[in-house]
Amino acid sequence: MASTAVPDLKQQLRQLVACPSVSATDPKLDMGNRGVVELLAAWLETLGFSVELMPLPGQPDKANMIATLAGRGSGDGGLVLAGHTDTVPFDEGRWRSDPFQLQERDNRLYGLGATDMKGFFPIALEAAKSFVDKPLQQPLIILATADEETSMAGARALVKAGRPRARYAVVGEPTGLKPIHMHKGAMMEAVRITGQSGHSSNPALGANALEAMHKAIGELLQLRAEWQSRYHNPGFAVPVPTLNLGCIHGGDNPNRICGFTELQFDVRPLPGMPLDDLRAELDRRLHGCIADEKIKLEYAPLFLGTEAFEQDIHSELVKTAEKLTGHSAESVAFATEAPYFKSMGMDTIVLGPGDIDQAHQPDEYLGLERIEPMVEVLRGLIAKFCL
């Protein structure tokens, strides 16, 4: 059939890497992903998929892609193979080769996004090719999202739209071919304290924001200890929730009373720790530790955050993935889009060919030896849940 018009796997990855799609909190570095999803859409349409591009609200240069190979069955069955199309920024001058030109050396494919996670898409297409002429009972859906590396805006837009509808989802993040059934959540928060500046020789002339922040930090550390006493999950390498004091800025001179300071911190909650509950507790405790009416404290998230994720280890999806990979399901500390698919009623795992220690690094690569095993795993999953 017309699938011969689709480039081979390496050429697909070469074209995807050559299409920059950096997402960054810095507007000067941030890009769209339309070029990437349009490439994928063209190839998938050639294979017989029905393709829809969904621009993000107010950002026409960024879009999700939903490509569906329809099944004969009815209802909301089927399998989603999902990945994000954006990459992080790259370190100028630290790459041995152009990050946007795929290079093959040392039995590896080097390029920005090769492992995190543009490399997943050609593998998914290769697996899908085996089924385009077969009578699927349930749909096979290949999903590509925008802005995972920053705001998760693509995944949030899908949840809001209630799409796609399916029974199972595989998120192809780099897991070293091991199925992942749970990961921690991610929160990044800020505490801003406004006092009153004045001459340091007379403390009564002002209200020291740094001293108030000292109290706030003490409260955060106390809360961290309480959380770590209250919550524990031995399935994680670090079995407790973490709270990291990341950066602090404030004041302008040693002989002035500090009038303003800001602290930014990171929380990694375990499954069973909803973000709304944690933020309500943070807000209450932080405001409760400041009694000085001259001091104003503001607490706010830096981004919406991502919930922790857990899929029942005894579910059919996890057991099938364990059998196909030969690995028992594990946990990871990094966050993914998995909880968004889970929230839409899909059994979900994270499973991909790359390694997380290659992600966000100069000279990022995907090992060639990982490609065919991952294709075979995806073929097995498609056969199980779509045929």
Side-chain angles (χ1 to χ4, degrees):
M1 61 177 293
S3 61
T4 53
V6 177
D8 66 27
L9 188 149
K10 287 182 186 177
Q11 184 59 29
Q12 288 176 43
L13 184 53
R14 182 168 288 108
Q15 292 186 40
L16 294 173
V17 166
C19 192
S21 55
V22 171
S23 69
T25 54
D26 183 345
K28 296 191 294 293
L29 300 176
D30 193 52
M31 304 175 181
N33 74 324
R34 287 298 291 250
V36 176
V37 292
E38 286 169 1
L39 273 174
L40 292 170
W43 299 332
L44 286 158
E45 284 180 340
T46 300
L47 290 175
F49 282 72
S50 173
V51 179
E52 179 185 358
L53 296 185
M54 298 174 57
L56 298 192
Q59 300 183 85
D61 61 334
K62 298 184 178 186
N64 295 325
M65 181 207 72
I66 302 174
T68 304
L69 192 63
R72 295 179 175 181
S74 58
D76 297 326
L79 174 67
V80 174
L81 303 180
H84 65 83
T85 56
D86 57 321
T87 72
V88 293
F90 63 96
D91 298 307
E92 193 82 50
R94 293 187 60 198
W95 282 66
R96 288 175 56 194
S97 54
D98 185 338
F100 297 110
Q101 289 189 11
L102 193 72
Q103 298 285 325
E104 182 176 343
R105 60 179 188 271
D106 308 323
N107 208 36
R108 299 166 175 173
L109 297 172
Y110 289 86
L112 183 61
T115 199
D116 185 20
M117 58 170 289
K118 290 179 176 179
F120 178 71
F121 291 107
I123 290 173
L125 266 71
E126 189 66 23
K129 285 179 184 178
S130 303
F131 296 88
V132 293
D133 292 324
K134 289 187 168 59
L136 298 185
Q137 296 305 306
Q138 300 293 342
L140 171 62
I141 300 167
I142 294 181
L143 177 66
T145 62
D147 274 11
E148 187 271 352
E149 296 288 5
T150 48
S151 64
M152 298 277 185
R156 294 180 200 283
L158 291 170
V159 172
K160 188 174 182 180
R163 300 186 58 211
R165 298 181 67 85
R167 184 71 186 87
Y168 304 99
V170 176
V171 181
E173 289 276 11
T175 69
L177 290 170
K178 297 175 182 177
I180 300 302
H181 78 106
M182 62 179 180
H183 65 62
K184 291 185 177 181
M187 300 165 61
M188 295 182 188
E189 317 292 289
V191 182
R192 302 178 183 98
I193 294 182
T194 304
Q196 184 175 325
S197 58
H199 199 287
S200 63
S201 63
N202 186 350
L205 294 175
N208 198 305
L210 270 176
E211 292 184 14
M213 185 63 80
H214 177 70
K215 293 180 181 178
I217 288 174
E219 194 68 25
L220 287 173
L221 297 181
Q222 175 62 34
L223 184 56
R224 179 176 71 183
E226 293 173 20
W227 282 346
Q228 292 182 345
S229 174
R230 198 186 313 167
Y231 301 102
H232 186 271
N233 189 322
F236 288 93
V238 179
V240 293
T242 57
L243 187 156
N244 176 65
L245 305 178
C247 61
I248 189 167
H249 306 280
D252 52 25
N253 222 49
N255 62 352
R256 265 168 49 90
I257 296 168
C258 176
F260 177 81
T261 183
E262 178 178 10
L263 169 73
Q264 296 183 356
F265 63 97
D266 160 283
V267 179
R268 300 285 169 158
L270 294 168
M273 300 176 66
L275 302 195
D276 286 348
D277 294 354
L278 299 181
R279 285 179 169 144
E281 192 168 8
L282 282 163
D283 189 70
R284 178 175 57 82
R285 293 285 289 267
L286 285 166
H287 281 96
C289 75
I290 303 295
D292 189 340
E293 61 183 23
K294 295 180 182 177
I295 296 290
K296 177 187 175 186
L297 181 145
E298 178 194 4
Y299 158 64
L302 293 169
F303 82 114
L304 291 173
T306 294
E307 299 281 357
F309 159 72
E310 184 172 17
Q311 175 63 47
D312 180 2
I313 199 166
H314 301 296
S315 65
E316 188 176 19
L317 178 61
V318 172
K319 290 303 179 187
T320 302
E322 288 181 325
K323 184 177 180 181
L324 289 168
T325 62
H327 293 289
S328 296
E330 298 180 1
S331 67
V332 291
F334 60 88
T336 76
E337 294 173 319
Y340 299 94
F341 303 126
K342 183 74 175 165
S343 75
M344 290 192 282
M346 300 181 221
D347 284 1
T348 304
I349 57 170
V350 187
L351 174 60
D355 292 292
I356 195 61
D357 61 2
Q358 280 304 307
H360 304 190
Q361 297 289 326
D363 294 329
E364 175 185 353
Y365 68 80
L366 176 63
L368 287 170
E369 76 283 358
R370 296 290 179 80
I371 292 175
E372 192 53 39
M374 189 69 207
V375 171
E376 287 304 314
V377 167
L378 293 184
R379 283 177 179 148
L381 290 167
I382 296 167
K384 172 71 174 178
F385 297 112
C386 297
L387 278 185

